[in-house]
Amino acid sequence: MAQVYVTSTSFMQGCPDAIKALEERGYELRVNPTGKPMEGMDLITALSGCVGVIAGLDRYDGAIIEDLSGVRAISRYGVGLDNVDLNAATKAGIVVTFTPGANTEAVADLAFALMMAAARGIVKVDTMTRSGGWPKFLGSSVWGKTIGIVGTGAIGRAFARRLAGFSVKMLLFDIRQDVDFALSIGGEYVAFDRLLAESDFISLHVPLNSATKGLIGPMQLAMMKPSSYLINTARGGIVDEDALADAIEEGKIAGAALDVFLHEPPVGSRLAKSDKVVITPHMGSHTKEAVAAMGMMAARNLIDALDGKMPQHTANPEVYR
């Protein structure tokens, strides 16, 4: 029986229909026992003898891919492709797929929740109240403020739609501008520097690539208002975390809310120790609905790839040429 490895723990917990679909096609599932992303020789050893993988946040760089003997498809259980060397995969004849759209609304929900939590200090006052206090904490209003949205792909747009009832001013930035979308939400595309300087809350919704790595660094943080907050549900590498910690400690910005970090979990991070930062464990897509949708899409992508068909959501279609 052909074997498929599953590195994502939430796939096994929340995707019974996807698991059934794979098993009914005759695939035996082997499961990551560590509960965290796999890397290096551990990943190579785990995938030995497997024809495909339902991949979580593991890193598939060129060196790893060269050693994936027998693996014909990497089905990303998620939308991000920054952890997969697509050129190396194509050279090795490995199909790479992903699950666009499956987690859009879930991530947008969390981005909105993190913004509200940061604005009102909800985590901080919850802790104080549970400890017997009754704090009179002065938070910040979201109503009527200026919200900067960096990246107006599917998730950025979904986040923007959630602001409709808050009488906010929306400043948008993207290398691909959709003026019709901006008009539909009452937003405006502006230069990046202006968005940084004028926004009270900035929410990041861009992929991690060579153009966005370190997009928010010391210079950008210095442009932001002392009263502003940074929200990141995209990828950790987009933000210079040391610079962000410095900016918060020095009062250059008011705080942040982060679902993603460069190293996860962020053991020893100054950001994780600050009561001006709300942190969550890369859980943007972790709703029952999103997990089930992602799982089924990932399973279908893998089945099609292993059947010799081009999956609908192929990240490296040139592999078929």
Side-chain angles (χ1 to χ4, degrees), residues 18 21-22 25 27 298-309 311:
L22 288 165
R25 295 291 292 191
Y27 295 111
R300 287 172 177 163
N301 285 339
L302 185 61
I303 289 168
D304 284 347
L306 295 177
D307 280 351
K309 304 173 185 176

Side-chain angles (χ1 to χ4, degrees), residues 71 74 93 104 124 235 243 272 284:
V71 173
I74 297 172
T104 294
K124 179 178 181 178
R235 281 292 187 269

Side-chain angles (χ1 to χ4, degrees), residues 110 113-131 135 137 139 229 256-258 271-281 283:
L110 183 65
L114 287 174
M115 179 181 66
M116 297 300 296
R120 299 304 300 269
I122 290 174
V123 176
K124 179 178 181 178
V125 297
D126 174 86
T127 300
M128 295 171 70
T129 304
R130 289 175 186 272
S131 299
F137 179 82
Y229 293 85
L258 310 170
L271 294 169
K273 298 175 183 178
S274 173
D275 66 0
K276 294 181 180 179
V277 181
V278 178
I279 64 170
T280 48
M283 57 179 275

Side-chain angles (χ1 to χ4, degrees), residues 13-90:
Q13 294 170 353
C15 306
D17 291 340
I19 292 169
K20 181 179 179 181
L22 288 165
E23 291 177 339
E24 286 180 346
R25 295 291 292 191
Y27 295 111
E28 177 186 350
L29 302 188
R30 291 166 51 189
V31 183
N32 173 10
T34 69
K36 60 183 180 180
M38 304 182 76
E39 58 184 27
M41 284 305 303
D42 289 340
L43 183 57
I44 293 171
T45 301
L47 296 183
S48 176
C50 293
V51 295
V53 55
I54 300 289
L57 294 169
D58 329 285
R59 180 168 295 279
Y60 296 83
D61 57 25
I64 295 291
I65 287 173
E66 286 180 5
D67 284 333
L68 295 186
S69 175
V71 173
R72 292 157 45 202
I74 297 172
S75 179
R76 271 284 291 119
Y77 171 70
V79 68
L81 292 165
D82 49 287
N83 280 356
V84 183
D85 187 329
L86 293 179
N87 290 329
T90 300

Side-chain angles (χ1 to χ4, degrees), residues 4 10 16 20 35 63 80 96-97 111 121 162 178 207:
V4 166
S10 66
K20 181 179 179 181
V96 180
T97 64
R162 282 156 175 75
D178 186 337

Side-chain angles (χ1 to χ4, degrees), residues 135-152:
K136 303 302 179 185
F137 179 82
L138 291 178
S140 299
S141 293
V142 173
W143 176 271
K145 294 296 179 67
T146 298
I147 313 295
I149 303 175
V150 181
T152 53

